[in-house]
Amino acid sequence: QVQLVDSGGGLVQAGESLTLSCAASGSFVSINAMAWYRQTPGKQREFVAIITSGRTTRYADSVKGRFTISRDNAKNMVYLQMNSLKPEDTAVYYCNAVAKRTYVSDYLNYWGQGTRVTVSS
């Protein structure tokens, strides 16, 4: 099994910064892409940012220029640096990893438990 533990959420004021972290552990042989998604009550989970194993990145338009995703392959960790936070960034943020448990298995999606970010105006 692959476990993802995300952390770093909190309450901040608009314009401030936060960094989220996600640590992958368990039994796996490879992690491909790692990403962050977010969800607010009554809405579907939405894509925020993704980084491939080769460190290619892509962002949602709503966070482009303010958020930066990075990863440490040696530590199996992914980070989301969030700057210039806005009240509309308030959500539960979820870490996502596409990993394979054995060399012959398929890549599967795994999710963290979520970390809450609240941005006050």
Side-chain angles (χ1 to χ4, degrees), residues 9-104:
L11 171 62
V12 297
Q13 293 190 333
E16 294 184 339
S17 299
L18 271 179
T19 300
L20 305 183
S21 302
C22 174
S25 63
S27 177
F28 55 90
V29 297
S30 175
I31 298 178
N32 192 350
M34 300 186 81
W36 290 95
Y37 287 73
R38 65 188 182 187
Q39 189 170 22
T40 54
K43 293 189 176 181
Q44 286 192 327
R45 194 170 296 186
E46 67 172 5
F47 167 78
V48 175
I50 190 169
I51 183 167
T52 68
S53 56
R55 293 186 169 80
T56 298
T57 59
R58 182 166 60 89
Y59 298 90
D61 288 342
S62 59
V63 307
K64 206 172 292 184
R66 299 187 298 121
F67 291 10
T68 301
I69 189 171
S70 60
R71 66 188 284 173
D72 184 330
N73 289 335
K75 295 181 179 179
N76 294 316
M77 293 196 68
V78 63
Y79 307 95
L80 185 68
Q81 173 68 43
M82 306 185 294
N83 298 328
S84 302
L85 282 162
K86 304 176 181 180
E88 50 263 43
D89 294 317
T90 295
V92 177
Y93 285 71
Y94 295 90
C95 172
N96 169 265
V98 180
K100 60 190 310 181
R101 296 182 61 191
T102 72
Y103 289 107
V104 297

